[in-house]
Amino acid sequence: MYGLTTPANFSQPCSLSPPSPSGSRLLPPSAYQDPAYIPLPDLSDRDLLDPLVIAESHGYTPATKENTNLDSANRPQKHARAVEANEDDLRVKRGRPNSSNNYSTADIGALFDLVEDIVPLGQKGWQLIHSKFTQWAGCNGRPLHKAMSLKTKYKQVSLL
């Protein structure tokens, strides 16, 4: 259908140079110059190891520091603020809230009984388990848990 009419000839080497990236600023290996052979500036002192001496040899002067003797009273405070005595009560507490409770053995047993009876296959099944668990928790004086929390706890315990 799309057959070639002329045979390919691979016996002659390619005379083209390899392609280079567009906008390439790479130097050919012959143009590379070793930094050790770059001459230093013509100065009587050839000891240019100190950065200050190098800067001065190029005509730069060192910067002067101004107003370095600020006492602590005049120094600006970025994040300092006065803490009042009654402010301790207003600070945000971190971690778990006081009302969060762990699952007891009875909670886990009730959860497993509900899962065994209902066998949740999707979100509606877990919502049904949540409503039945909420009824059980109210009757037994246990804390309430969200549906996602019940599902996560079941998956955690069932993998053990």
Side-chain angles (χ1 to χ4, degrees):
M1 185 188 308
Y2 295 104
L4 295 175
T5 58
T6 58
N9 185 4
F10 296 106
S11 63
Q12 297 177 359
C14 181
S15 62
L16 299 174
S17 63
S20 62
S22 64
S24 175
R25 296 179 188 252
L26 299 174
L27 297 175
S30 61
Y32 175 74
Q33 187 174 10
D34 188 7
Y37 296 117
I38 298 174
L40 293 173
D42 291 330
L43 296 174
S44 60
D45 184 13
R46 292 272 188 195
D47 187 23
L48 293 178
L49 298 177
D50 183 28
L52 291 175
V53 175
I54 295 172
E56 287 175 1
S57 71
H58 289 287
Y60 296 107
T61 58
T64 59
K65 294 182 181 179
E66 295 180 6
N67 203 7
T68 58
N69 294 329
L70 288 176
D71 58 335
S72 61
N74 293 336
R75 185 172 296 147
Q77 299 287 325
K78 289 185 178 179
H79 299 288
R81 63 184 182 96
V83 177
E84 298 176 9
N86 61 356
E87 195 171 327
D88 291 337
D89 299 335
L90 300 176
R91 290 188 183 175
V92 177
K93 294 183 179 181
R94 297 180 183 204
R96 292 175 28 181
N98 291 336
S99 62
S100 66
N101 292 315
N102 291 332
Y103 286 85
S104 68
T105 308
D107 293 344
I108 294 173
L111 177 61
F112 270 85
D113 290 340
L114 289 172
V115 169
E116 186 179 347
D117 292 342
I118 296 173
V119 187
L121 297 177
Q123 184 178 5
K124 290 183 180 179
W126 283 106
Q127 288 175 351
L128 182 61
I129 287 178
H130 176 254
S131 65
K132 298 224 181 225
F133 187 86
T134 303
Q135 291 173 356
W136 175 87
C139 293
N140 294 315
R142 297 298 303 153
L144 304 178
H145 297 284
K146 296 179 181 177
M148 194 63 192
S149 175
L150 293 171
K151 181 179 178 181
T152 305
K153 178 53 82 174
Y154 173 75
K155 289 182 177 183
Q156 285 176 348
V157 175
S158 65
L159 291 177
L160 296 177

